[in-house]
Each structure stands twice: as structure tokens, then as C-alpha cells.
Amino acid sequence: MIQLLIIGIVFLLGVFMVVVCVILSSPKCTSKVCLVGKTALVTGGSSGIGYQTVLGLAARGCRVIVADQNVDEKIQRSLIKESNNPNIIMQYVDLASFESVRELARRLTASEDKLDILINNAGIGKGPDKLSKDDLDDTWQINYFSAFLLTHLLIGLLKKSSAGRVIFTSSLLSHVHQLSSENITATEIKSSEYFLSYSDTKVALIIASDIFATKLNKFNITSNVYHPGIANTAIFERSMRNMEGIGEKALVFVLRLLLFFLNKTPEDGAQTALHLAVSREVENITGRYFGRLSETWKPRICKDKILCEKIWTTSETIVKLESNERL
Ligand SMILES: NC(=O)c1ccc[n+]([C@@H]2O[C@H](COP(=O)([O-])OP(=O)(O)OC[C@H]3O[C@@H](n4cnc5c(N)ncnc54)[C@H](OP(=O)(O)O)[C@@H]3O)[C@@H](O)[C@H]2O)c1
């Protein structure tokens, strides 16, 4: 009996150790593919995970356009110096404004022959509860609607690539969303204030990525979405400044603890985006959700085709797509 108990305890400890090792390990994108001749666009590439994604692409010879609201020359110089690749271009965009997104797309359509990789990385955790220039909740607009709009506006350039890849950035928090057919109306999205609107935007990105995957298949463009796990970036500090109330403060405490124990860097967080952007093994993979370089499961809501279709059509209306821009 005691022997059995000891075997049981040892077994449980073993399982626990394996789980801890898996959580603490950071798989790296080891693809050696050369990206000379390819052009990528990374939104939010001036800091955090986006910055590291730009470096990973540039180090492989890719021409990289960084689209961010911070286009400081110092960032460009630092990216060029670290990667030894002079082909890094900074482009201003304010993702809290649809006009700014359209302006960026116009500039890129005029300056670029093609786009091979589009990484919709930029995002915020919790904004200051103010409406954007387009009268929308800023978390929704920056994280989701602007990525939805930008991807539509860049399809023309992506089609000119021999095999375009679109990548969206979700989060593990996509699994604790509150999205439903009742709150996906334009009015509800506008008035969304609670922290969990972040999770809602992140599940909406998975849904949009899946539908893009289906609609873009005929153009040989893939669309996948990933979560970076948890990486110590400025997003937490910025979000925490806008958090109030006991629930949000408790969340801040848990996040700080996690960040301390996991000790993951922005470079760790960028690995799955790089894997999806460059690796040969995902060349023809589309419509999937990734984490830690492997396919992972999607929130159940992604199987609700009627709701997903509703989110897509509501999004088309909210970002004011012209009929010739719709897919
Ligand atoms: N870090 C994590 O653990 C984690 C976990 C899950 C998901 N993610 C996701 O990963 C992505 C990158 O986040 P991060 O952790 O690297 O955060 P970050 O360091 O704060 O980077 C976000 C980037 O987005 C840019 N950005 C924010 N608002 C913008 C706007 N209105 N217009 C243009 N650019 C804007 C920021 O520019 P400024 O610096 O000028 O504000 C910054 O360069 C986000 O989508 C985030 O939701 C991160």
C-alpha cells in the first residue's frame, strides 16, 4: 500500500516537473530559410514582440517595413545595426484611426511591387477607456478592426507575391472571451469598456484569420493566427496604468507574478510569428491557430459558423469597406 502511494507521488511529481519544464522552455524558430527578395510588413514593430519579429526577419535578409505610431529614427538605426540589414523602412500609422490605416495602405500600394508577409502584431491591453477617432472602443479598433481593414487593403500587394502569408496575433486570453451574438453589434463594441474586451478582440482575430484563410486560398495566400504565450513587454505596464477596481488590480497582481516567474523575453514571444512567417513546414498551412511553434486548439466559439459570419459582416460594416474592397 505504502509502495503504491510512493509510486503515485513520484509519478505526480514527474508529471508536474514535465509541465513546469514545458511552460518554462522557449522553443525557437530554427528555420534557416533565406528571405532575400521578400518584403514583410510588421505592425507595432517598434517595440516588444514586434521589434524582435522584425529583427528575426531582417537577420534572414528580408526587407522589412515597420508600421507603428512610433517611427523614431533611433529604432530604425538600432534594428539596422542589430540585424546588419539596411533594408528596414519605418512607416507611420495610428491604428486607432481608419483614415491613418487607409493612408498607410495607399503609401504602400504606391511604393511596393508586392508584399510577401504581413504580420498584424500591434496591440494594446487596456486603453484609457476613451473612444477612438472613429468613435470605437480603442482596444477593439487597434487590436482587431485596424488589422481587419489593413489586411483587406493590402490583398492587392499580397496577391503579387508567389505565396503570401498573413499572420494575426492573438493571446492565450482568447479562451476567456465574452463574445456572443448579442454583443457583436456595432453599438456594443463601441461601448465596450471592461478589460475583457482585450480577450474579445483576440478571439475575433482568430475568427477573422479563419475566414481570411478560406477566402484567400484561391490567391495562394495563407492566413494563420498565433499566441505568443506571455512575454515581458511594455504592454503590461501600459495596461496596468489604465486598470481600476479590485478585479482588475487582482489581475495585475497575477500578471506581475507570472512575468516574474516565467521570465520570458520579447524574443521568446516572437518565435511562433517567425515560424509562421518563414518556415517551409507551414508553407501550405492555413486557417490554423498556433502557440509554441505548434498548432493549438481554438476557442469553441470559432466553430459557430453563423456567429463567425456575423462577426465578419459586422466588421465589414464597422471598418466601412467599399464593395470593391470586400472579399
Ligand atoms: N507580451 C505578451 O505576453 C503578449 C501575450 C499575448 C499577446 N500579445 C500580443 O502581442 C502583440 C505585441 O505586443 P507586445 O507585448 O510586444 O506589446 P508592446 O511592446 O506594447 O508592443 C505593441 C506595439 O504596438 C504599437 N501600437 C500600439 N498602439 C498603436 C497604434 N494606435 N498605432 C500604431 N501602433 C500601435 C506600439 O507602439 P508604441 O510603442 O508607440 O505604443 C508597440 O510598438 C500584441 O498584439 C499583444 O496583444 C502579447
Side-chain angles (χ1 to χ4, degrees), residues 80-105:
I80 291 175
K81 194 171 165 203
E82 280 190 72
S83 64
N84 204 21
N85 179 344
N87 286 319
I88 294 171
I89 297 125
M90 307 298 280
Q91 284 281 355
Y92 174 80
V93 67
D94 177 7
L95 297 168
S97 153
F98 290 143
E99 188 39 46
S100 182
V101 172
R102 284 189 171 274
E103 187 48 45
L104 170 71

Side-chain angles (χ1 to χ4, degrees), residues 125-290:
K126 186 177 194 309
D129 284 345
K130 67 175 174 55
L131 291 181
S132 70
K133 290 171 190 152
D134 297 283
D135 212 20
L136 286 165
D137 171 70
D138 55 357
T139 310
W140 263 102
Q141 182 155 359
I142 294 166
N143 291 7
Y144 172 71
F145 288 114
S146 285
F148 181 86
L149 175 62
L150 185 63
T151 306
H152 272 91
L153 300 178
L154 295 179
I155 297 297
L157 282 178
L158 284 159
K159 273 192 209 165
K160 292 182 185 160
S161 166
S162 54
R165 296 187 187 193
V166 179
I167 295 143
F168 293 92
T169 309
S170 182
S171 162
L172 276 170
L173 287 175
S174 59
H175 288 280
V176 290
H177 69 89
Q178 301 189 359
L179 213 54
S180 69
S181 48
E182 283 79 48
N183 65 12
I184 190 65
T185 64
T187 333
E188 285 289 331
I189 285 170
K190 268 187 195 183
S191 62
S192 168
E193 280 175 1
Y194 53 96
F195 173 68
L196 282 177
S197 68
Y198 176 80
S199 317
D200 290 355
T201 65
K202 293 300 180 181
V203 76
L205 283 165
I206 304 176
I207 290 167
S209 170
D210 283 358
I211 301 181
F212 272 119
T214 308
K215 291 185 185 272
L216 296 179
N217 213 7
K218 59 178 181 283
F219 306 124
N220 205 25
I221 301 170
T222 60
S223 173
N224 290 293
V225 56
Y226 86 103
H227 74 75
I230 181 162
N232 202 349
T233 68
I235 199 169
F236 295 100
E237 213 45 58
R238 288 173 186 166
S239 307
M240 284 171 192
R241 274 185 232 133
N242 298 316
M243 288 181 178
E244 290 157 4
I246 194 89
E248 289 188 342
K249 287 202 172 116
L251 189 68
V252 172
F253 179 73
V254 173
L255 284 177
R256 279 192 194 277
L257 270 185
L258 267 177
L259 286 172
F260 177 77
F261 283 115
L262 294 178
N263 193 25
K264 302 270 187 190
T265 62
E267 188 181 358
D268 295 331
Q271 298 308 308
T272 308
L274 286 170
H275 174 63
L276 289 173
V278 310
S279 296
R280 285 236 163 81
E281 56 192 274
V282 290
E283 222 161 38
N284 297 312
I285 301 289
T286 193
R288 311 270 178 92
Y289 185 28
F290 282 76

